[in-house]
Structures are given as structure tokens and as C-alpha cells.
Amino acid sequence: IKEPAESKIPEVQEEVLEKELFKEVAEQIPPKIAPGKPRRKKISLPISSRALVIAGIILFLLAGGYLLFSNEKIRSSLGGIVGLFQKKPEKPLPELSEEQKQIIKEHLLLAQDLYKLDTKDAYLKSLNEIRKVLKIDKNHPEAKKLELIVSALLTYRYPQRLLIYKLRSSLKKAEASFGLSPEVQLAKALLNLAENDYASAKILAQKALENAPENPLALWLSAHIQLAGINPDYPQAKSLLEKALELELNLVLARCDLGEIYLKTKEYQNA
């Protein structure tokens, strides 16, 4: 009697069966937990982390503010620190003596005579005389206005970037001190001329002349701008310049423009 042959399963089939069997067993066995490390459940809070940070900052500020206001030493030290950055009230200047007043008057007269010569050297010397006055009395209004006018004339005659920048800065300070005074308007008009803005200069010169009809510089500037136009009004400019020279005979700027008008109108003897 022949014995039944043993059933042979291919090796590949055995391997597949083993894998499937172990897979089923693995799914049934729960994962092992390492001893001493219990599983932790994640807790989800209804408040976001950003809100917690903001709340922490608010609490910190409240606690800090309470300490500052409750501790006298901290308050006093903070008051001292704040006081360092606060402007101290300026002490009133001592009253000028008669001798100082006379010196100031002499410097101002010399400064006025110098700038009328219309040369770069004369303008610089005029400014030097004005600064001598401001060393004695730093808040002297006439000296500050004259300094603004001389600086503006220097900038107009020699339009350099540095001079234009300095004049703009001086005008801001002058407007805060003197508002739209004739000196400020004249200085602005001269700045506009230095920047070739004749339209703005004409408006400012007219306003300055309305506010100070007896100001020789305002008369000269109004006439000078009229002569610079496409169709110059020689009779009007001539009238303004003649009036300016009646008030200030040594104003070289007015003399030069009036001489130019005489040449244009063929009044050679007057020129």
C-alpha cells in the first residue's frame, strides 16, 4: 500500500502566509507601553496661546505700575530721570548797560552801511558786525531781522547750495519769532529768486511793499522783479527805484537797476 504523498507548499506561499498570519496577530495585540511612562492625553484649551501672552503682558504691566506708584523711592528716581530731559526755563538776561546799548547801535549802523555796498566781502563783514551784537544780546530783534536780510541778499547774489540750505533754516526760525513780517517776506522772495522762482518772488515782494511802503529794499525788489519779466514796465520800475534812493541814497542795488533803466530808455546823462 502506497503512503499518501506529503503536500508540499511552495516556499513563496509559506512566506506569504506567515506574513498574513503575523499581521493579524499584530493587529490584535495592543501596543506595549514603556514602564514608568504612563500615556498622557493632550489637553486642548479653549483660549489661544496669543491671548495668553497678551494677558500675561497686561498682568506684568499692572504689577509694574502698582510697584512704581506705591514705592516712593522709585517715584522720586523716575522723576529725576524725567527732569533731565525736560527743558529748564531760561534765566532772564541781565539788563544792558548804556555802554552796551551804544556798542550795539554802532555795530548795527556799520552792518547796515556795509550790506548796501552789494559785494560779497561787504555782506560777510556786515554779518560779522551783526554777530557781535548777538553776542551781547542774543535776542536782539533788530539784529536778528537784519541778519536774515543780509543772509538772503548774500544767497541771492551768490546762490550756492549751502547758503540756500542755511537760509531756509533761518527762515523757519524767523517765522516762529516774527511771523510774516516784511523782513521775512523779503527774505523769502530773495530765496525764490535764488531758485529762479520769479512768480512766487513777485507775490511776496508785493506783500512786503504793501506792509512796508517806505522800505527801500521792498521798493528795490519790486522794481527788480518787474525788470526781470518778459515785458518790463520801465516807468513803474523807475518810479519805485527813484523812491528807494530818496529813502536810502547808498543802496547800490537800486542805483544799478535805475542806471540800467536809463540806458534802456536812452537817458544817457542820468545813467
Side-chain angles (χ1 to χ4, degrees):
I1 300 168
K2 290 182 181 181
E3 293 181 0
E6 294 180 0
S7 62
K8 292 183 180 179
I9 302 172
E11 293 180 358
V12 176
Q13 266 189 340
E14 286 182 1
E15 288 179 2
V16 171
L17 289 171
E18 285 178 3
K19 284 182 180 179
E20 290 180 356
L21 180 62
F22 282 116
K23 186 178 179 182
E24 290 177 3
V25 173
E27 286 178 353
Q28 291 175 4
I29 299 171
K32 293 183 179 179
I33 301 170
K37 293 183 179 179
R39 188 182 297 175
R40 295 180 181 178
K41 292 183 180 180
K42 290 184 179 180
I43 300 171
S44 59
L45 296 174
I47 304 171
S48 65
S49 58
R50 187 178 178 183
L52 288 172
V53 171
I54 293 170
I57 292 170
I58 293 170
L59 288 172
F60 175 77
L61 292 174
L62 289 172
Y66 173 76
L67 289 173
L68 288 176
F69 287 102
S70 61
N71 195 321
E72 292 183 2
K73 290 183 179 179
I74 296 175
R75 280 207 312 271
S76 61
S77 59
L78 283 174
I81 293 169
V82 172
L84 292 174
F85 295 97
Q86 289 179 345
K87 288 185 177 180
K88 296 180 180 179
E90 294 184 1
K91 295 180 180 179
L93 295 172
E95 191 175 348
L96 298 174
S97 64
E98 292 299 324
E99 184 181 357
Q100 287 176 319
K101 289 178 182 178
Q102 184 62 31
I103 292 170
I104 287 172
K105 186 178 178 181
E106 290 173 2
H107 284 308
L108 287 177
L109 287 172
L110 183 55
Q112 289 171 355
D113 290 338
L114 283 167
Y115 89 80
K116 292 167 190 172
L117 299 176
D118 188 36
T119 65
K120 188 174 184 179
D121 186 56
Y123 287 132
L124 294 174
K125 286 181 178 178
S126 177
L127 288 171
N128 188 41
E129 294 298 321
I130 294 166
R131 281 159 192 161
K132 288 178 182 177
V133 173
L134 293 173
K135 281 183 180 179
I136 300 170
D137 183 3
K138 65 178 182 179
N139 295 324
H140 198 285
E142 290 181 19
K144 285 191 170 184
K145 288 179 182 179
L146 186 58
E147 184 183 31
L148 182 66
I149 288 294
V150 177
S151 299
L153 286 167
L154 179 64
T155 303
Y156 162 64
R157 299 293 283 162
Y158 306 94
Q160 299 173 1
R161 288 184 180 180
L162 181 61
L163 292 176
I164 290 171
Y165 174 78
K166 285 184 176 180
L167 182 56
R168 281 180 184 164
S169 178
S170 299
L171 275 168
K172 286 181 182 178
K173 294 177 183 177
E175 281 188 55
S177 301
F178 308 116
L180 291 175
S181 64
E183 291 81 7
V184 172
Q185 290 173 332
L186 287 171
K188 276 188 170 184
L190 288 166
L191 176 61
N192 289 331
L193 287 179
E195 296 175 330
N196 296 319
D197 185 0
Y198 286 88
S200 300
K202 185 176 182 180
I203 294 168
L204 287 166
Q206 287 174 349
K207 288 181 179 179
L209 188 59
E210 289 172 4
N211 294 331
E214 301 296 318
N215 188 317
L217 271 178
L219 291 162
W220 161 75
L221 189 57
S222 297
H224 183 72
I225 293 171
Q226 286 186 13
L227 293 174
I230 299 172
N231 297 313
D233 188 348
Y234 290 121
Q236 179 66 19
K238 179 182 174 182
S239 174
L240 291 169
L241 292 169
E242 286 175 346
K243 186 176 179 181
L245 289 172
E246 285 177 9
L247 295 167
E248 184 50 68
L249 187 62
N250 296 323
L251 189 59
V252 173
L253 290 165
R255 282 179 169 275
C256 291
D257 283 349
L258 186 58
E260 185 181 346
I261 291 173
Y262 286 147
L263 289 173
K264 296 285 185 182
T265 55
K266 298 181 180 181
E267 298 178 58
Y268 300 114
Q269 189 173 357
N270 290 331

